[in-house]
Amino acid sequence: AQSVSQHNHHVILSEAASLELGCNYSYGGTVNLFWYVQYPGQHLQLLLKYFSGDPLVKGIKGFEAEFIKSKFSFNLRKPSVQWSDTAEYFCAVKPPGSARQLTFGSGTQLTVLP
Amino acid sequence: GAVVSQHPSRVICKSGTSVKIECRSLDFQATTMFWYRQFPKQSLMLMATSNEGSKATYEQGVEKDKFLINHASLTLSTLTVTSAHPEDSSFYICSALPGSEDTQYFGPGTRLTVL
């Protein structure tokens, strides 16, 4: 079945460490890609998105993601994490032909230790 | 901008009763809203797509007679869980799409507990 995969379920880092969260999808054709963040007790917020153009996308709070079409990947990165980045991170894909619905990955819980 | 609210944030009800959850786009018009369900430590599962002025489109396995969706205006969609049972206990999240965009904006969610 076509899907969105986030292989890291829980990542624990110390402050200032670099972060990379994986996201792979299995849809062919043109997709739109998103990363959302859910801080404890809060609603999902958009971190960044890719529709077309430069495959390296910069988002809010120092996050960026790179779309690699050949690998069907859209990994999220941040060079130096902070304690306040502790949250759940969701990758989402709008598949080709979709009437604007999103398919979400299972999420990655990031814990940053002070 | 692009704020979505949900009401109530938490609701506890007895088995067999019905519960209505509201989703409002506060500063934009949304022709399309989505309803998701999120189980603990799991991802968001799309339940249905709500289009203003027309019937909702339900995902496979979601009972349309149990989860009634009404999208009567461009800023309000409601989800009614009818004859709720303990297995319906979950976190329900809505999102809204501004008419000209492909980015969903999410509400804060509603925690439903059915006793």
Side-chain angles (χ1 to χ4, degrees):
Chain A
Q2 295 179 319
S3 66
V4 180
S5 300
Q6 291 180 246
H7 301 294
N8 311 108
H9 297 294
H10 194 181
V11 172
I12 302 174
L13 296 173
S14 297
E15 276 195 316
S18 64
L19 169 72
E20 180 160 3
L21 300 182
C23 174
N24 289 90
Y25 61 93
S26 61
Y27 301 93
T30 301
V31 295
N32 293 345
L33 300 157
F34 304 80
W35 275 98
Y36 283 89
V37 61
Q38 188 174 30
Y39 297 103
Q42 296 189 29
H43 62 281
L44 274 82
Q45 300 173 39
L46 180 68
L47 270 181
L48 48 79
K49 60 186 177 183
Y50 173 79
F51 286 178
S52 64
D54 189 343
L56 185 61
V57 180
K58 294 193 183 299
I60 62 172
K61 305 187 180 188
F63 286 91
E64 64 178 30
E66 185 174 12
F67 169 54
I68 303 180
K69 189 173 182 179
S70 61
K71 295 186 177 180
F72 296 86
S73 69
F74 189 56
N75 291 356
L76 181 70
R77 300 195 293 246
K78 185 171 184 178
S80 177
V81 294
Q82 301 172 315
W83 176 78
S84 57
D85 293 325
T86 295
E88 185 95 21
Y89 292 81
F90 292 96
C91 177
V93 175
K94 188 180 85 68
S98 164
R100 308 169 90 186
Q101 293 102 333
L102 294 179
T103 301
F104 281 82
S106 56
T108 298
Q109 173 65 48
L110 171 66
T111 301
V112 180
L113 304 175
Chain B
V3 178
V4 177
S5 71
Q6 277 184 246
H7 178 80
S9 57
R10 289 179 183 273
V11 57
I12 300 172
C13 69
K14 293 182 178 180
S15 185
T17 61
S18 294
V19 174
K20 180 185 284 188
I21 303 170
E22 292 184 349
C23 177
R24 292 182 186 273
S25 56
L26 298 185
D27 50 2
F28 64 96
Q29 293 184 329
T31 53
T32 304
M33 291 184 173
F34 300 94
W35 286 96
Y36 295 86
R37 188 170 175 176
Q38 186 180 28
F39 292 99
K41 306 294 185 185
Q42 295 189 31
S43 186
L44 282 75
M45 300 299 297
L46 179 65
M47 297 175 65
T49 302
S50 170
N51 294 298
E52 187 266 337
S54 64
K55 290 184 178 180
T57 304
Y58 290 82
E59 295 301 298
Q60 193 172 8
V62 178
E63 298 175 60
K64 62 179 182 180
D65 294 330
K66 181 168 188 62
F67 298 99
L68 301 178
I69 291 172
N70 184 278
H71 193 159
S73 78
L74 287 172
T75 59
L76 173 65
S77 176
T78 59
L79 169 69
T80 301
V81 183
T82 62
S83 187
H85 291 285
E87 57 266 29
D88 298 325
S89 298
S90 191
F91 196 54
Y92 293 87
I93 302 174
C94 74
S95 70
L97 268 174
S100 59
E101 294 188 35
D102 273 327
T103 300
Q104 294 183 27
Y105 296 93
F106 286 82
T110 297
R111 173 75 59 195
L112 171 63
T113 303
V114 184
L115 303 176

